[in-house]
């Protein structure tokens, strides 16, 4: 039996617990998710390094999963645009059962390996793409079908599983095993198995975006200011990174469509926003290099 399906030896009388103890048991078990991701950190680092050249070459991140895993993949793909201005068309989320499965479970969809392959072909997967295959069991047919199609197309494949020796991790170019073991509620992989996947996806995509110059220091300077909260965040980030007051930050941001990177370089160097944008374009969007005339060392 898969570890994720094996009944836990802890808390066999969970249904008898007082609410306070019940909540504590569920929360405490989540700590194992962090440990599982920490153990997989070397493989996550390998995945980032392998994915980077393909992203620099214009490739896409394509996520494929079923159920909870599929929803977590879609979530990661969707959040890359507001956080890092990563283009919508370069972050594709596929879930067994189609878009509607995000909201209503589509029974049996995960068992269709052929559909997994067809979905990858529908989005025209190619050799510049990076495909993240997500399955707690590591053997979901839909995901394995997507994996086969991705490999045949020459894409880089990253297999995420919560069971050791799982097919999706073995057959992918890089396997990332998040060994979370049995669940407090037996078989409910939306618990710590899902938590571990969320952490791993956050870690992978965020590290990749740092390497793609979406971050300056530890500031998210390439966000898309698409609502009031993010507009305020853009102003605060500009003030912090450029060492200016709110009025200067706001005026400069308004002149460059609230592109924080451009505003920082313009204010710090005392140049116009068009010139600042040109400097950034010349150094692949690196704020650090734009501020130092291409010298990456400071």
């Amino acid at each position: 039996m898969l570890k994720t399906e094996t009944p836990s030896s802890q808390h066999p009388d969970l249904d008898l617990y007082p609410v306070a103890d019940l909540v504590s048991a569920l929360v405490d078990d989540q700590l194992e998710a962090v440990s599982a991701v920490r153990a997989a950190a070397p493989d996550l680092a390998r995945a980032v390094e392998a994915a980077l050249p393909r992203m620099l070459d214009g490739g896409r991140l394509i996520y494929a999963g079923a159920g909870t895993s599929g929803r977590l993949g879609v979530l990661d793909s969707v959040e890359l645009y507001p956080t890092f201005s990563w283009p919508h068309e370069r972050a594709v989320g596929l879930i067994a059962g189609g878009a509607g499965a995000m909201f209503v479970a589509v029974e049996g969809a995960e068992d269709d390996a052929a559909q997994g392959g067809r979905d990858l072909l529908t989005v025209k997967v190619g050799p510049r793409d990076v495909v993240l295959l997500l399955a707690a069991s590591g053997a979901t047919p839909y995901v394995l079908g997507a994996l086969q199609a991705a490999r045949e197309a020459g894409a880089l494949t990253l297999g995420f599983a919560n069971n050791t020796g799982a097919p999706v991790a073995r057959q992918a170019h890089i396997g990332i095993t998040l060994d979370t073991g049995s669940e407090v509620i037996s078989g409910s992989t939306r618990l710590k198995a899902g938590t571990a996947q969320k952490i791993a996806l956050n870690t992978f995509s965020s590290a990749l975006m740092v390497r793609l110059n979406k971050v300056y220091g530890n500031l998210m300077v390439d966000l898309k200011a698409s609502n009031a909260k993010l507009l305020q965040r853009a102003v605060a980030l500009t003030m912090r990174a450029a060492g200016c007051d709110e009025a200067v930050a706001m005026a400069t941001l308004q002149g460059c469509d609230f592109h924080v990177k451009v505003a920082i370089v313009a204010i710090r160097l005392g140049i116009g926003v068009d010139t600042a944008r040109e400097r950034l374009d010349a150094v692949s969007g690196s704020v650090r290099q734009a501020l130092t005339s291409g010298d990456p060392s400071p």
Side-chain angles (χ1 to χ4, degrees), residues 154-274:
L156 173 68
T157 54
L158 310 177
F160 293 74
N162 293 90
N163 286 283
T164 56
V168 73
R170 290 200 318 267
Q171 296 172 23
H173 292 103
I174 299 175
I176 299 163
T177 300
L178 309 168
D179 186 6
T180 44
S182 59
E183 300 284 357
V184 168
I185 299 176
S186 300
S188 182
T189 52
R190 63 181 290 271
L191 297 177
K192 67 183 174 197
T195 300
Q197 289 185 1
K198 180 69 167 70
I199 298 171
L201 290 173
N202 275 348
T203 300
F204 168 79
S205 60
S206 297
L208 185 60
M209 293 298 141
V210 171
R211 283 290 170 262
L212 289 167
N213 297 320
K214 302 291 186 178
V215 174
Y216 172 50
N218 65 349
L219 305 178
M220 48 182 282
V221 295
D222 215 4
L223 81 164
K224 185 61 67 175
S226 55
N227 58 39
K229 177 188 71 176
L230 292 176
L231 287 171
Q232 292 177 348
R233 187 175 296 167
V235 173
L237 287 167
T238 302
M239 291 171 62
R240 184 177 183 86
C244 66
D245 62 25
E246 183 175 355
V248 170
M250 178 62 78
T252 309
L253 285 166
Q254 288 174 335
C256 61
D257 195 26
F258 280 82
H259 195 171
V260 176
K261 278 185 174 185
V262 174
I264 292 169
V265 174
I267 295 168
R268 289 272 297 270
L269 297 182
I271 58 179
V273 294
D274 290 337

Side-chain angles (χ1 to χ4, degrees), residues 59-60 71 104 112 182 197 247 264:
R60 298 171 295 169
R71 294 182 188 100
V104 179
D112 193 341
S182 59
Q197 289 185 1
I264 292 169

Side-chain angles (χ1 to χ4, degrees), residues 3-295:
K3 284 185 178 181
T4 50
E5 301 294 329
T6 302
S8 174
S9 60
Q10 299 184 36
H11 312 293
D13 296 320
L14 189 71
D15 60 332
L16 300 177
Y17 284 13
V19 172
D21 293 342
L22 173 60
V23 169
S24 292
L26 290 166
V27 170
D28 290 346
D29 197 55
Q30 295 288 322
L31 297 175
E32 296 185 28
V34 178
S35 297
V37 180
R38 183 179 288 119
D43 291 326
L44 284 167
R46 287 174 55 221
V48 172
E49 291 172 350
L52 182 59
R54 297 182 190 236
M55 296 302 98
L56 291 172
D57 196 31
R60 298 171 295 169
L61 295 172
I62 302 175
Y63 302 72
T68 297
S69 298
R71 294 182 188 100
L72 289 170
V74 172
L75 176 63
D76 201 68
S77 72
V78 168
E79 291 183 341
L80 293 179
Y81 176 75
T83 309
F84 299 111
S85 295
W86 189 249
H88 291 296
E89 64 273 15
R90 295 184 67 188
V92 180
L94 302 175
I95 182 171
M102 280 294 296
F103 306 98
V104 179
V106 180
E107 300 300 334
E110 69 177 49
D111 298 325
D112 193 341
Q115 188 61 51
R118 286 193 293 270
D119 284 354
L120 262 289
L121 295 178
T122 297
V123 299
K124 297 181 172 57
V125 62
R128 294 188 299 172
D129 295 327
V130 176
V131 182
L132 293 82
L133 295 309
L134 309 162
S137 70
T140 305
Y142 175 88
V143 176
L144 294 178
L147 170 58
Q148 181 178 348
R151 290 203 61 139
E152 290 175 355
L156 173 68
T157 54
L158 310 177
F160 293 74
N162 293 90
N163 286 283
T164 56
V168 73
R170 290 200 318 267
Q171 296 172 23
H173 292 103
I174 299 175
I176 299 163
T177 300
L178 309 168
D179 186 6
T180 44
S182 59
E183 300 284 357
V184 168
I185 299 176
S186 300
S188 182
T189 52
R190 63 181 290 271
L191 297 177
K192 67 183 174 197
T195 300
Q197 289 185 1
K198 180 69 167 70
I199 298 171
L201 290 173
N202 275 348
T203 300
F204 168 79
S205 60
S206 297
L208 185 60
M209 293 298 141
V210 171
R211 283 290 170 262
L212 289 167
N213 297 320
K214 302 291 186 178
V215 174
Y216 172 50
N218 65 349
L219 305 178
M220 48 182 282
V221 295
D222 215 4
L223 81 164
K224 185 61 67 175
S226 55
N227 58 39
K229 177 188 71 176
L230 292 176
L231 287 171
Q232 292 177 348
R233 187 175 296 167
V235 173
L237 287 167
T238 302
M239 291 171 62
R240 184 177 183 86
C244 66
D245 62 25
E246 183 175 355
V248 170
M250 178 62 78
T252 309
L253 285 166
Q254 288 174 335
C256 61
D257 195 26
F258 280 82
H259 195 171
V260 176
K261 278 185 174 185
V262 174
I264 292 169
V265 174
I267 295 168
R268 289 272 297 270
L269 297 182
I271 58 179
V273 294
D274 290 337
T275 303
R277 188 176 288 111
E278 291 173 2
R279 289 179 71 96
L280 283 161
D281 289 343
V283 290
S284 303
S286 170
V287 172
R288 194 173 296 275
Q289 292 189 48
L291 291 173
T292 56
S293 300
D295 179 4

